[in-house]
């Protein structure tokens, strides 16, 4: 009888310890994912704003008669190499997106449903992010959009930076 009570207490203690461990593990995993994705998104937003400001300055120089005659082409290819992200430029009037890495264009119709809303918010002057472009990019990713302004201060294009989040998944494992 004495040993039966001991085994029962050890079983309850083990079950409680196992339950606590599982709950703490799941909580840590979700907090780690949330925090890491948030940091990655914050860094991506800062990078997108910096690139958009530079493209706005290049646009102003081009409009004043100095600088690039053929557009952003070489600069974007350079950015695509060093930005650690895929760089796209969206044009609201033509409703097309110029991709830099693949040197192709996409129409708005090829985008997933939530992606067009992100582009619309960028053309309103906001810096926004989402994860709606995952089907287009064939990998889980965070997308950040930043506006590019002309000399009058109106938004002429939307810069989209896509960064894969595969590193977060490997860090979780």
């Amino acid at each position: 009888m004495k040993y039966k009570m001991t085994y029962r207490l050890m079983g309850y203690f083990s079950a409680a310890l196992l339950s606590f461990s599982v709950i703490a593990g799941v909580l840590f995993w979700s907090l780690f994912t949330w925090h890491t994705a948030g940091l990655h998104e914050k860094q991506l937003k800062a990078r997108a704003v910096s690139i958009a400001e530079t493209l706005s300055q290049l646009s102003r120089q081009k409009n004043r008669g100095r600088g690039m005659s053929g557009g952003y082409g070489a600069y974007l290819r350079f950015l695509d190499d060093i930005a650690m992200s895929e760089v796209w430029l969206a044009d609201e009037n033509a409703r097309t997106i110029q991709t830099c890495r693949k040197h192709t264009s996409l129409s708005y119709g090829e985008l997933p449903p939530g992606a067009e809303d992100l582009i619309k918010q960028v053309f309103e002057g906001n810096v926004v992010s989402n994860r709606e472009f995952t089907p287009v990019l064939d990998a889980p990713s965070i997308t950040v959009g930043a506006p590019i302004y002309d000399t009058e201060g109106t938004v002429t294009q939307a810069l989209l930076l896509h960064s894969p989040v595969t590193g977060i998944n490997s860090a979780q494992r």
Side-chain angles (χ1 to χ4, degrees):
M1 178 95 159
K2 179 166 106 175
Y3 293 113
K4 192 174 186 182
M5 180 69 103
T6 303
Y7 291 133
R8 185 177 285 165
L9 284 175
M10 284 178 45
Y12 289 144
F13 180 73
S14 297
L17 188 61
L18 180 64
S19 298
F20 175 75
S21 298
V22 168
I23 291 170
V26 167
L27 182 64
F28 176 76
W29 176 77
S30 61
L31 287 175
F32 175 79
T33 302
W34 175 75
H35 180 70
T36 305
L39 283 176
H40 187 70
E41 187 174 319
K42 184 178 177 182
Q43 291 172 349
L44 197 61
K45 278 185 178 181
R47 204 176 316 149
V49 167
S50 176
I51 292 169
E53 286 174 357
T54 303
L55 289 175
S56 294
Q57 290 172 358
L58 288 172
S59 175
R60 289 181 197 123
Q61 289 176 358
K62 179 181 166 187
N63 289 340
R64 280 191 236 136
R66 302 186 324 244
M68 304 178 336
S69 59
Y72 305 125
Y75 183 72
L76 288 176
R77 281 189 294 279
F78 175 69
L79 274 179
D80 213 32
D81 290 338
I82 65 167
M84 299 176 291
S85 306
E86 190 165 334
V87 181
W88 291 5
L89 281 178
D91 185 353
E92 188 175 37
N93 297 332
R95 297 190 57 83
T96 59
I97 297 174
Q98 175 188 355
T99 64
C100 302
R101 184 165 293 163
K102 298 172 185 166
H103 306 291
T104 59
S105 291
L106 299 170
S107 70
Y108 279 26
E110 298 175 61
L111 299 176
E116 197 167 340
D117 292 335
L118 176 127
I119 294 171
K120 183 180 174 186
Q121 289 177 8
V122 172
F123 277 105
E124 292 171 358
N126 301 316
V127 177
V128 292
S129 65
N130 75 13
R131 297 180 187 198
E132 300 293 329
F133 285 86
T134 297
V136 177
L137 300 170
D138 296 328
S141 62
I142 295 175
T143 299
V144 173
I148 298 174
Y149 298 97
D150 64 3
T151 53
E152 287 85 36
T154 57
V155 179
T156 58
Q157 293 181 318
L159 172 80
L160 302 175
L161 279 183
H162 308 284
S163 181
V165 292
T166 54
I168 295 173
N169 296 336
S170 64
Q172 286 174 340
R173 282 189 289 266

